[in-house]
Amino acid sequence: MRARVWLVLVLATCPAQAYSRPRFQIGPNVKQSRWPTTVATLVTVNVEPPNSIVPGSQPLAAVRNAFEMRAAYSAIKFNFQPAIFENVAHDGTSLVTFRDTLENRSAASGFGAATFFWFTISGGEPVVTESDVVFNPALPHTTTGAGGFDIENLAGHEVTHFLSLEHSAVIGSTGFPNFDAADLSRRSLELDDLAGTEFLYPFVDTAVRTGRMSGTLLKGGTAAVFGGHVVALRASDGVAVSDVSVTGGQWRIDALPPGTYTVYAEPFDGPCYPFMVDDGIYGSTAFDTSFLTQFAGGNDTPTVYAVSAGAETAGVAITPPSGSSGLNPTSLGLSADGTTPAFAPAQVGVTQGTSAFLVVSGSGIAAVPNNGIAISGPGVAVSATGIARGVNGGTPYMIVPVTVDANAPPGLRSVFADDGPNLGVVSGGFEVRRAAPLPGLLRNDAVFQLAPTTPALSTIFPLRPVGADGVPGIGEGIRRADDGTSDDDDFYVPEIPSGYIDADVGVAADVTRPLVFYMLSDSALTIRIEKTVSGRIQITY
Amino acid sequence: MHRSRRIIVAIAFAITASSVVASTLLPLKLDDLATRAESIVVATVADVTPRFNDAHTLIVSDVSLAVDETVAGASVSYLTVSEYGGRVGDVELVVPGLPRFELGERVVLFVCRDALGLARTCGASQGRLRVVEDAGGALRAVGMTGDGPVDEPLVSLKARVRSLRAGAGR
């Protein structure tokens, strides 16, 4: 493996996600639209017939899960009520509707589900006033796993828009516009989805608990790039968050967990294209795709930047050369036999402790040497032998054996192709999947939010301040000690400052988040939460 | 990653053979678009007028197009499609995934009727391909359908569309 690819492998660990901040030109200023958070947002849900819900489904629970997931990680909160309206309309009430009417069929035409969000200008800020989600009544929707589109999966994506976030630019995030209907990963959120949500709806301590990076994207060091995809990659665990450069080539990534990062920029030339993330929110200025993929500091020696809690790491300059290299990986897939190519609509997933044949396709791939493919992050080995090559529909591809360690951190990784002078990347296209699903309490169909009816854990458990950097956040805290059993899950939380357990990832979260657990949607079940003398929180159901 | 129009065209065809693209946007492949469309035109956006619909429930933007060429369907000089979204006064409606048109923009447009009888872009943004000039001055159609990215000579695209439509007996 050549030095550059190796460096990328070490530094650019990137189960990448991206979120697109909604921006609107308000006079001379560009502003982000968002919901007010002084009161909980009322969501009404209409599941009354006629509709196309598969019998036996639990649409209310599925919809609520998708919303509660966002509420768990941001300051926005929701109240749910049965709907009095049936159609998507500007009526002052946010609605999720399955109702089969001509109006809804018109509104959802072309979509599995669609979101209509309204905003107005208040105090110089674009404020969301209403958001309606319509599930296409011409299509079957289900929570039973068969016979239709999975409601929670679709809702997970649509809530992205409900919040006024735009499509994400990196494959694999919940906000990315394309995905395989059989891939239910949009039921859960990736870190970038979380960061985007928290950016728009910050906790009271977000500004002091997270950091920010900002800088410029300038071709040749002078020409501002409008519409470049800028990705920050956390070195420690490969988590990535991204932004789109705007006027002056300026970019800024908020709500970053403290840590060290590398940053690269890539043009929107596939697999994500400008029209996939820009529904007019960037105005009429065309995205500039005439620059090469490049890390800040250069591809041979990417600069590592420290991001501290409550601080901004500013002045990060990305200065790629102008032009096009001709190296452009745009599609990934998994080959069943190592010789026959296959292509996925979004990310590919390989389970911990297994091997697979990764297909990398796109222009210039034929010139990439056998050791020129790398997958970011620890625990994934890419073989330089046993490579198969070919051309499909005029596009070259190579098939490379990959092995995922049993302990490889799960998440979305980026796939890099290096032909020597140039680098190409498919951001977030390779997902390391857990060998064993999280225990049932953490991975069932329904999310049940105990807060706010349940008191904050801090009022139940006198938990001690965290050590280390003192700022538990996404991905930080004390990891779950073991996977528990089928009937209980244990969390060691001896050093949470106060508050909550992030049951989704099994780590300590921050004080302001509600407690969210995945649990069976059987109302006969009860949950008991107890603190043991050792400081362990025992959850039994 | 770097754009190569020639190769992207090839990718579009490659994906056609193998993809199972799905999303909240229901994938419509080019043959679906070609056969479902009421009309298919090459046109230039002459006007975009947002307004509340007759029921005053949603904002729609009426997009008037000067038709340069009718690829399929009844031959017309002007055409209007309506898409949800737009700004009226201080109120704006955004619908991610629906096409938004710019004045002067030249497009290949696949027009369908929705449940209310509105003339819409088929398959949301999939039915709008932008027409751009390449470095040599040749016109290309660029966009994304259920097949994947499209970036091919306009002449070639029109021929394919006509062929697909003829093959379907339309």
Side-chain angles (χ1 to χ4, degrees), chain A residues 101-125:
Chain A
T101 66
L102 291 178
E103 289 83 357
N104 285 341
R105 285 187 178 231
S106 170
S109 179
F111 297 95
T115 301
F116 288 55
F117 75 87
W118 300 80
F119 72 91
T120 189
I121 309 302
S122 177
E125 299 290 333

Side-chain angles (χ1 to χ4, degrees), chain A residues 90 106 110-112 117 119-120 158 177 179 266-267 269-270 275 279 291-293 324-325 328-330 363 392-393 395 425, chain B residues 1-3 7 10-11 14 18 21-26 57 84 90-92 94 96-97 100 102 114 120 143-144 149:
Chain A
H90 191 228
S106 170
F111 297 95
F117 75 87
F119 72 91
T120 189
E158 295 306 325
F179 51 91
E266 61 168 331
D269 60 359
F275 47 84
D279 294 301
F291 65 95
L292 308 188
T293 296
S324 172
S325 72
N328 185 12
T330 52
S363 63
N392 181 55
T395 303
V425 61
Chain B
M1 292 176 285
H2 300 285
R3 170 170 245 154
I7 296 299
I11 290 170
S18 58
V21 173
S23 74
T24 55
L25 189 66
L26 298 172
T57 54
Y84 293 115
D90 285 339
V91 178
E92 180 159 346
V94 175
R100 289 171 60 129
E102 300 288 340
D114 73 6
R120 306 271 304 276
M144 176 76 84

Side-chain angles (χ1 to χ4, degrees), chain A residues 390-415:
Chain A
V391 176
N392 181 55
T395 303
Y397 64 84
M398 56 192 296
I399 303 176
V400 294
V402 297
T403 301
V404 177
D405 291 348
N407 295 323
L412 299 163
R413 314 291 188 90
S414 287
V415 177

Side-chain angles (χ1 to χ4, degrees), chain A residues 452-485:
Chain A
T453 54
T454 298
L457 284 185
S458 58
T459 66
I460 304 174
F461 308 111
L463 302 168
R464 290 176 289 152
V466 72
D469 59 6
V471 281
I474 295 170
E476 295 186 70
I478 310 302
R479 288 202 173 277
R480 187 159 38 84
D482 57 59
D483 284 343
T485 67

Side-chain angles (χ1 to χ4, degrees), chain B residues 15-40:
Chain B
I15 293 176
T16 299
S18 58
S19 79
V20 284
V21 173
S23 74
T24 55
L25 189 66
L26 298 172
L28 282 183
K29 296 183 177 182
L30 189 65
D31 56 354
D32 298 321
L33 291 165
T35 54
R36 291 188 189 187
E38 176 181 284
S39 61
I40 304 166

Side-chain angles (χ1 to χ4, degrees), chain A residues 356-422:
Chain A
F357 298 105
L358 174 67
V359 182
V360 183
S361 175
S363 63
I365 290 299
V368 174
N370 285 356
N371 65 348
I373 299 296
I375 297 172
S376 62
V380 181
V382 181
S383 176
T385 60
I387 308 292
R389 294 177 181 272
V391 176
N392 181 55
T395 303
Y397 64 84
M398 56 192 296
I399 303 176
V400 294
V402 297
T403 301
V404 177
D405 291 348
N407 295 323
L412 299 163
R413 314 291 188 90
S414 287
V415 177
F416 291 89
D418 185 350
D419 67 3
N422 301 299

